[in-house]
């Protein structure tokens, strides 16, 4: 019985490679690719000593979808739908980054109204993303109810987005120089109402979860990412702000019209999971206030540029579009060789950098903490694997 | 031959208790999902049978119709004995519980001890299950289960002991008789601390959220029963529910006046209290996040155990006064 | 009833025998432990037959609920690379020696029991629990206090021996 | 990528019939099975979010007894392949399928799982063009992502496949199509 | 069952346990196995004591409590021995007494 | 704005546990938000963009507006549109009543192309299995011949079920609506 | 040999429990179809082939909880017979005796606490 076991259970290539660096007689455990708390198909190989993790190594590529390669075979507009699938939780931010880059290549002016629409929808999308993260994180921590509440609210926001984009998740809404559809009154009223509604829900979240003693003890003081470590790994987004750095592209290099709005960049100095949690909770409120401001000052006008080239063939050159996504800085570098297909597209996905520090953070911590840290980083796996 | 009446008594008790557990198990599964649904503002099981009442039946039948799997590396004997061992003592636990003034399986002077002794077997079953599955998650889950169950057993014993010291008996019926029909005559009034300790420990002993670490989904996939399929898994599940009923029954007997109640005493009061407790347990589960393993142990060793000792001390002094 | 008692006794002895054999013969330590647990149950049954239910329950509580879990845990934790199984015997020298060793006292004491002159008391009576408590706290007071000290000291010793203090960062 | 990740393996799907085969008993079992299909938490990509949405309050798959998302394949009846199956992931999918005890069912949710969907192009190297190349699929639910209603409809289809009848009324719009 | 009293029956069972324990103690090579054998013997002792107390004129309470103490001591002993075993196994990586003695393998 | 995370005392913490119970308890008695799907439908399905459908001509519901330009097929990122076109030599005038004027104007100068090649849409095949619901086809269509359906109830036993022949679907739909 | 009704009930209940548990398992053997082959009998590890047995040594410190549990439990169990006797006992002597006993318990708790058995650092050095 035992001999069978020893011969059969050799693991795969990655575990064997991992084993080489392991101490004698420790437990080598695969967490993922199919594991409830890796949110998709991230795989982490752990070296365990009892409840403690001695070493962790993420293995990537289980949803590699050739996103960058596809950029080289599809035309500029044909590549648009791909963007919604890189990070399906904040699809519009990726849309935006891509159209930003291509607009720069094409030297396109975006009409005023389209900019406002982009801001409104993108922030709405950010809220849905954070709500989902909130629920999923609590699920990781073992609470089953919050995700239901979070999803119920998220559904409302998704219904709103569906009014204008027609889809629920993988939007393909921004087009070069504008957006594909104008806002409808239904959307505007609905959004106003949603903002009011969510403001009544957020205190409930606070009561149910944020203030909960068990949660506090679970997330307080774990997964500390000091500023220098964050910088080293190129961490961005709420994770960076949770480390006490007020960095937000919407404020630092204001793209689009973000400089017209009055909003805060929440940041907490504790660098732990709780700080990251609170950053996101605060960010939802800030997004709400941005949406409200944008809707109040929404100008009239067209949503697509007056004259659009029939075939999009940007001149030779390269451009970089960067926006602040729900997970951090989304960057798209497009190189054009003057044809209708890009020469090369490079995606800079925030989750990738955010994950990369996991190995260092998780050394010597408890298994349960690793799960909670992983959750607090808010990873979207297809964004990592691209 | 006057053997017959006693034998019939036992047989009836056995049948009644089996029915009680079977029925309550099904109802509890349904209730849990229904309550969870309502807390989350959805109906829960709804379409299968009226109000989804046939849902647990469908689940049970489905589990029976599911293949039993054993990993090749697992030790067959131990692997199959674990779910059996987990469930076997369940009936016995109900033997000495007084459900009503007359409704009791059998009077036994050491009733309390009997329940404590045989409920301890569950830990062994979990440990065997985790060890014999040859699965790393199971093993971790089993280690957690044992560390947790045994840790919480101590304050639980101490809390129960306080009641024993107060009344000088381990006979459950006697303990119920010592209490009165009105809520202020219940033990929970004289021993509130013991009740709280008992309740927390009981939740932890049954591996219920927020103490459900041995089967913590987000960490250990399914914990010690990761490898068990079909009815083997179902037995663990059923045993877990049965233990929930047992601990609620014992809590009712020890602290909540058993079948006493304002107006007519009887079985219904008992059932009402038991279900009230179960509802609280379910409510807790769907409200809180899970505690971490070290916190779990620390709550026990650093809070509950000293408190239980103090409580016992106070009881000792009060009894003498 | 009397017959049933004999039947029960027979079953218990059978359980003890199987369990005991499992405990000493099984290669897998966990199976041996399961054998031990079986024996423990059998002995508990014997206690019950002797009208000592308290001891029977204690047997289950202490032995099954605590000691055997401890042993199981130890097996789980010390599983060396070779596994919790003993290496197979190439030639049963050891078993033969063991048989010889075991048989000697068996014969001697067996003979002694047969030649014993104690008049047995039938049937046994159940000792009320309060009396047990009284005995424990009055004549056996010293032992009672000592046992807690012994246990504490034993645990302390064990902790000193093997505890790995986790070094925080 | 290691070589084993690149070869597409076919899941072994041999099955012995039950020892006792009585028509009536089988029917009862099938009905009960169809009323309690426990899915596996097996999200791969975007579609997984819609799969989660089905479990949530608005659509509530619990009404049909299928909300018990079990993480371990041993306790699941239904594998919902929700998302893109990459070649690296393929052996894992196969293994999980093989580890499910019989009877087991597979739903391919979303165009990716059906055919590679948006990621299919000439000369692609990274994805599997449909899970039905590896595991036997019972029900296909197209869309990118399919709406939660689609998933529910897929569930009904599986129930229909198991018991030979549709248990729930057709939705208003569904009839028109 | 003539000729053999109840007391003797129990004593024989106890003896059986003792014999099994002894047999196992010598035969077993791993420390845990030996421990299990010792437990068997202790059980035999307990059974014997209770039988003597319950089935003779001697005080039943005394005998029962004596057995209780045996159990307590057994628990203490098990704890200590297992601690030693664990230390040993950590030190040498195995728990077989043979190899322990010679330190080979 | 860099903030400090608020700390919590044990007492506050214990209170928070009860507050949490209150929240869930409150939600327990609140009305449910579930749409009982096969019996009810969500209210916003009209805005959902499912797979595409052909739009019929207003005057002739049996033919589509499509002018067979092929733009949609070209724009589609997933290549899931296929136009099956039958070329037919159409005998000019007498039979043709639809555009007599146009033909007459064209006919005199050149007698040779008397036989005009007419391209007829035989089938409009959408392989929905590949579609990414991006809407590019609808956007590019010059004559708005494509629209989104709101059908979200698709599920089937084979994947061939979702290779739609849109022309036929369009006709069937018209027939169903005219008969029903 | 005393065979009480209670004894009989105990045995019957245990047997009934066993049968109640074994019944469905056997039914399952009869009525369930059986898949075979492939990875069916390989332990599940998130869809990956497991590496090595699960039975390697891990975290010795779990064991010490069991150890401490043993000490406490056995100690506490000694109190049960006394609990029955205690309310009817005379004078303050039993109280004092019990106090000594509980004091030893408390001391051992404090000892283990100080020894760091209950300490779980957030992070250990590896
Ligand atoms: S079908 Fe569409 S939504 Fe689903 S996984 Fe594939 S790309 Fe994502
Ligand atoms: S929606 Fe997009 S993918 Fe689908 S057919 Fe139209 S262009 Fe092609
Ligand atoms: S773009 Fe419009 S008109 Fe042109 S082929 Fe497609 S559907 Fe027909």
């Amino acid at each position: 019985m035992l001999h069978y076991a020893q011969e059969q259970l050799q693991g795969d290539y990655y575990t064997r490679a991992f084993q080489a660096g392991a101490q004698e007689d420790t437990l080598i455990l695969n967490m993922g690719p199919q594991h409830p708390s890796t949110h998709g198909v991230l795989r982490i190989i752990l070296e365990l000593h009892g409840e403690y993790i001695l070493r962790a190594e993420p293995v990537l590529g289980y949803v590699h979808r050739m996103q960058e390669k596809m950029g080289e075979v599809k035309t500029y507009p044909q590549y648009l739908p791909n963007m919604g699938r890189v990070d399906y939780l904040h699809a519009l931010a990726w849309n935006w980054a891509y159209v930003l880059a291509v607009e720069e290549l094409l030297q396109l002016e975006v009409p005023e109204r389209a900019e406002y629409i982009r801001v409104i929808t993108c922030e709405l999308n950010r809220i849905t993303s954070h709500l989902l993260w909130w629920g999923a994180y609590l699920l990781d921590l073992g609470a089953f109810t919050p995700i239901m509440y979070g999803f119920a609210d998220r559904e409302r926001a998704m219904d709103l987005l569906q009014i204008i984009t027609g889809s629920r998740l993988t939007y393909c809404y921004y087009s070069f120089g504008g957006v594909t559809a104008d806002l409808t009154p239904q959307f505007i009223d609905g959004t106003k109402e949603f903002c009011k509604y969510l403001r009544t829900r957020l205190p409930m979240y606070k009561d149910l979860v944020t203030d909960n003693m068990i949660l506090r003890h679970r997330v307080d003081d774990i997964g500390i990412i000091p500023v220098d470590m964050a910088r080293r790994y190129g961490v961005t987004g709420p994770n960076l702000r949770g480390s006490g750095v007020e960095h937000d592209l919407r404020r630092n290099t204001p793209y689009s019209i973000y400089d017209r709005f009055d909003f805060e960049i929440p940041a907490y100095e504790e660098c732990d999971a709780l700080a990251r949690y609170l950053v996101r909770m605060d960010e939802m409120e800030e997004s709400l206030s941005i949406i409200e401001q944008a809707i109040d000052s929404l100008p009239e006008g067209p949503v697509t540029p007056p004259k659009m080239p029939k075939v999009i063939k940007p001149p030779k050159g390269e451009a970089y579009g960067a926006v602040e996504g729900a997970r951090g800085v989304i960057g798209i570098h497009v190189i054009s060789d003057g044809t209708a297909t890009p020469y090369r597209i490079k995606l800079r996905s925030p989750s990738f950098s955010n994950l990369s520090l996991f190995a260092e953070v998780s050394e010597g911590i408890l298994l349960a903490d690793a799960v909670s840290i992983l959750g607090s980083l808010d990873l979207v796996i297809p964004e990592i694997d691209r | 031959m006057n053997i017959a009446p006693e034998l019939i008594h036992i047989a009836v008790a056995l049948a009644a208790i089996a029915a009680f557990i079977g029925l309550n198990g099904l109802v509890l599964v349904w209730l849990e999902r229904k309550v969870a649904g309502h807390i989350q503002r959805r109906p829960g099981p709804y379409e299968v049978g009226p109000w989804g009442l046939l849902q647990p039946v469908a689940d049970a039948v489905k589990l029976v119709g599911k293949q039993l799997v054993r990993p090749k590396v697992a030790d067959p004997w131990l692997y199959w004995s674990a779910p059996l061992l987990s469930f076997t003592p369940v009936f016995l636990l109900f033997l000495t519980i007084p459900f009503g003034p007359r409704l009791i399986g059998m009077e036994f002077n050491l009733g309390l001890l009997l329940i404590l002794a045989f409920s301890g077997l569950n830990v062994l079953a979990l440990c065997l299950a985790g060890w014999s599955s040859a699965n790393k998650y199971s093993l971790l889950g089993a280690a957690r289960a044992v560390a947790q169950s045994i840790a919480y057993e101590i304050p639980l014993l101490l809390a129960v002991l306080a009641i024993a010291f107060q009344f000088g008996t381990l006979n459950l019926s006697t303990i119920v008789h010592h209490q009165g029909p009105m809520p202020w005559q219940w033990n929970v009034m004289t021993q509130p601390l013991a009740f709280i300790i008992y309740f927390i420990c009981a939740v932890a002993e049954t591996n219920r959220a927020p103490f459900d670490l041995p089967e913590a989904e987000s960490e250990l996939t399914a914990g010690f029963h990761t490898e068990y399929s079909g009815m083997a898994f179902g037995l663990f599940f059923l045993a877990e529910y049965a233990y929930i009923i047992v601990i609620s029954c014992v809590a009712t007997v020890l602290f909540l006046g058993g079948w006493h109640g304002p107006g007519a005493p009887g079985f219904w009061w008992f059932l009402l209290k038991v279900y009230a407790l179960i509802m609280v347990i379910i409510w807790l589960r769907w409200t809180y996040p899970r505690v971490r393993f070290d916190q779990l142990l620390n709550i026990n060793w650093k809070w509950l155990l000293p408190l239980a000792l103090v409580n016992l001390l106070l009881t000792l002094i009060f009894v003498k006064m | 009833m009397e017959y049933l008692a004999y039947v029960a006794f027979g079953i218990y002895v059978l359980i003890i025998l199987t369990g005991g054999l499992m405990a000493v013969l099984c290669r897998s330590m966990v199976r041996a432990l399961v054998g031990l647990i079986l024996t423990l149950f059998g002995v508990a049954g014997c206690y019950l037959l002797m009208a000592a239910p308290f001891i029977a329950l204690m047997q289950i509580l202490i032995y099954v609920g605590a000691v055997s879990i401890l042993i199981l845990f130890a097996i789980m934790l010390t599983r060396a690379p070779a596994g919790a199984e003993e290496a197979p015997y190439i030639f049963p020298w050891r078993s033969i020696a063991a048989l010889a060793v075991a048989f000697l006292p068996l014969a001697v004491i067996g003979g002694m029991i047969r030649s014993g002159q104690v008049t047995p008391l039938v049937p046994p009576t159940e000792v009320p629990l309060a009396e047990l408590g009284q005995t424990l706290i009055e004549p056996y007071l010293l032992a009672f206090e000592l046992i807690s000290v012994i246990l504490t000291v034993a645990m302390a010793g064990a902790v000193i021996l093997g505890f790995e203090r986790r070094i925080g960062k | 990528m290691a070589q084993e990740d690149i070869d597409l393996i076919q899941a072994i799907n041999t099955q012995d019939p039950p020892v006792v085969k009585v028509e009536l008993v089988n029917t009862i079992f099938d009905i009960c099975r169809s009323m309690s299909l426990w899915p596996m938490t097996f999200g791969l990509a975007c579609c997984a979010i819609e799969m989660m949405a089905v479990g949530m309050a608005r659509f509530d798959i619990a009404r049909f007894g299928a909300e018990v998302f079990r993480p371990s394949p041993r306790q699941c009846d239904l594998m919902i392949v929700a998302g893109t199956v990459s070649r690296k992931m393929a052996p894992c999918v196969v293994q999980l399928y093989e580890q499910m005890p019989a009877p087991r069912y597979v739903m391919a949710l979303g165009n990716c799982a059906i055919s590679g969907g948006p990621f299919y192009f000439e000369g692609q190297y990274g994805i599997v063009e449909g899970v039905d190349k590896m595991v036997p699929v019972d029900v296909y639910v197209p869309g990118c992502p399919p709406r939660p209603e689609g998933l529910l409809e897929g569930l009904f289809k599986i129930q229909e496949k198991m018991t030979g009848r549709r248990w729930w009324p057709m939705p208003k719009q569904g009839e028109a199509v | 069952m003539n000729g053999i009293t109840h007391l003797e029956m129990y004593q024989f069972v106890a003896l059986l346990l003792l014999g099994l324990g002894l047999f196992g103690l010598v035969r077993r090579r791993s420390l845990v196995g030996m421990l299990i054998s010792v437990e068997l013997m202790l059980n035999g002792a307990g059974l014997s004591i209770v039988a003597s107390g319950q089935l003779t004129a001697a005080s039943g309470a005394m005998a029962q409590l004596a057995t209780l103490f045996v159990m307590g001591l057994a628990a203490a002993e098990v704890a200590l021995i297992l601690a030693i075993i664990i230390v040993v196994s950590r030190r040498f990586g195995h728990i077989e007494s043979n190899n322990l003695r010679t330190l080979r393998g | 704005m860099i903030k400090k995370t608020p700390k919590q005392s044990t007492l506050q913490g214990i209170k928070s546990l009860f507050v949490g119970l209150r929240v869930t308890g409150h939600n327990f008695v609140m009305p449910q938000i579930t749409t009982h799907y096969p019996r009810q439908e969500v209210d916003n399905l009209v805005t959902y963009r499912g797979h595409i459908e052909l739009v019929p001509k207003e005057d002739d519901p049996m033919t589509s507006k499509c002018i067979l330009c092929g733009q949609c097929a070209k724009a589609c990122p997933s290549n899931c549109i296929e136009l099956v076109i039958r070329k037919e030599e159409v005998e000019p005038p007498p039979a043709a009543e639809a555009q007599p004027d146009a033909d007459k104007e064209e006919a005199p100068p050149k007698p040779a192309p008397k036989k005009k090649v007419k391209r007829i849409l035989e089938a409009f095949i959408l392989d929905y299995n590949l579609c990414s619901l991006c809407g590019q086809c609808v956007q590019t269509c010059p004559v708005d011949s494509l629209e989104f359906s709101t059908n979200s109830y698709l599920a089937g036993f084979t994947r061939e079920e979702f290779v739609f022949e849109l022309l036929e679907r369009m006709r069937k739909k018209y027939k169903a609506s005219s008969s029903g | 040999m005393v065979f009480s009704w209670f004894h009989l009930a105990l045995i019957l209940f245990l047997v009934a429990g066993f049968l109640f548990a074994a019944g469905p398992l056997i039914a399952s053997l009869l009525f369930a179809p059986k898949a075979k082959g492939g990875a069916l009998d390989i332990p599940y590890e998130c869809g990956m082939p497991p590496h090595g047995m699960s039975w390697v040594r891990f975290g010795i410190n779990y064991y010490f909880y069991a150890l401490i549990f043993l000490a406490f439990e056995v100690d506490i169990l000694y109190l049960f017979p006394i609990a029955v006797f205690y309310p009817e006992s005379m004078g303050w002597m039993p109280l004092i005796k019990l106090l000594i006993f509980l004091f030893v318990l408390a001391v051992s708790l404090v000892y283990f606490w100080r020894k760091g058995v209950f300490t779980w650092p957030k992070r250990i050095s590896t």
Side-chain angles (χ1 to χ4, degrees), chain A residues 243-260:
Chain A
S243 295
V245 181
E246 264 186 273
H247 177 273
D248 190 324
L249 283 191
R250 290 176 293 174
R251 174 64 51 79
N252 292 49
T253 51
Y255 52 95
S256 184
I257 49 163
Y258 272 110
D259 44 359
R260 296 186 202 173

Side-chain angles (χ1 to χ4, degrees), chain F residues 86-126:
Chain F
R86 177 161 51 93
K87 289 198 179 117
E88 207 170 76
E89 292 187 346
V90 186
E91 293 296 328
E97 291 170 43
Q99 332 99 319
D101 299 324
D103 279 324
K104 261 174 202 162
E105 267 175 287
E106 237 179 290
K110 267 187 184 174
K114 252 213 162 164
K115 285 182 189 162
K116 192 189 170 203
V117 176
K118 190 175 177 194
R119 295 157 77 226
I120 295 174
L121 185 60
E122 186 90 305
F124 193 106
I125 295 168
L126 168 75

